[in-house]
Amino acid sequence: ERIPARQGAEDAIKAILDVKFKELPPDLPRDQLAPYRAEIEGKLRKAAAQARKNGAIDLYLPVQLRNGLPVPASFVVSEGAIPTAGVTEPDQIVSALVAESADGTPVTVDGVSGARSERSAGPDPDQGIEYGSRRVDYMVPVPGETGRWLLFAFSTLGAGDPGDQVARVLVQLFDAMMSTFRWATV
């Protein structure tokens, strides 16, 4: 589900929770569910506020259970400029981004050349990050907008190990999702 980070986060969070809580069995006492809903809502608001603070446009979270378990992954879309030391041509910037990253590779997103990087990150308790994760970033220039770039930042815990089979499958799923991205004018 998409949670807009700039405007509309509160409404999106409420709508997501309304749908999910309606899916619960009707015999569950609603007054006992209220504290759980409030806790989840607080966590989602905090995540949206942190994403907004970091310059995000949208936060995407899986809300459907798979085999009775939550999917341990998310991604954030942010907009910004890439520090380029005077280089303005997107292809040159992409080449530099790929060269900078040990795991950098060139990619094409809906006909636009970009850069992809992948890495493992350890826990960072100071930032509230308790577990290691697998991270994939796509950096893509916005067509026709000099100096404007989108960053798609994916993260997964896998099944507890950033290098495990679950993490690898979720990275493949994110790459597949990025292969379906399409530019649209608004």
Side-chain angles (χ1 to χ4, degrees):
E1 291 285 337
R2 174 183 168 264
I3 298 174
R6 292 181 176 169
Q7 294 179 351
E10 298 289 325
D11 291 340
I13 291 167
K14 183 181 179 320
I16 290 167
L17 293 177
D18 286 349
V19 168
K20 296 313 291 177
F21 275 76
K22 283 180 184 173
E23 292 175 359
L24 295 173
D27 60 335
L28 289 175
R30 299 297 174 192
D31 59 329
Q32 292 180 5
L33 293 175
Y36 297 111
R37 182 182 171 123
E39 179 183 352
I40 294 168
E41 188 170 350
K43 288 180 179 183
L44 289 174
R45 284 181 178 173
K46 183 177 178 182
Q50 184 65 42
R52 183 175 36 259
K53 180 181 171 189
N54 292 336
I57 298 170
D58 292 314
L59 171 63
Y60 289 85
L61 300 169
V63 297
Q64 294 291 83
L65 299 179
R66 294 293 177 234
N67 296 323
L69 298 170
V71 178
S74 64
F75 70 96
V76 175
V77 180
S78 302
E79 179 183 1
I82 304 282
T84 60
V87 178
T88 59
E89 289 300 316
D91 288 339
Q92 292 173 335
I93 296 169
V94 166
S95 293
L97 290 169
V98 168
E100 282 177 12
S101 174
D103 291 327
T105 56
V107 292
T108 302
V109 176
D110 193 23
V112 177
S113 295
R116 180 192 181 278
S117 63
E118 182 175 346
R119 69 190 184 291
S120 287
D124 188 351
D126 294 338
Q127 297 294 319
I129 301 169
E130 299 178 43
Y131 306 100
S133 62
R134 192 80 187 152
R135 299 188 182 174
V136 177
D137 295 328
Y138 278 72
M139 292 146 286
V140 184
V142 177
E145 302 273 341
T146 303
R148 192 170 161 213
W149 289 69
L150 289 183
L151 170 65
F152 301 84
F154 170 82
S155 180
T156 182
L157 303 175
D161 176 357
D164 65 23
Q165 180 64 24
V166 173
R168 288 191 299 274
V169 166
L170 290 172
V171 165
Q172 290 174 343
L173 175 62
F174 179 67
D175 286 334
M177 290 169 60
M178 288 304 301
S179 75
T180 68
F181 178 87
R182 297 296 174 257
W183 297 100
T185 50
V186 287

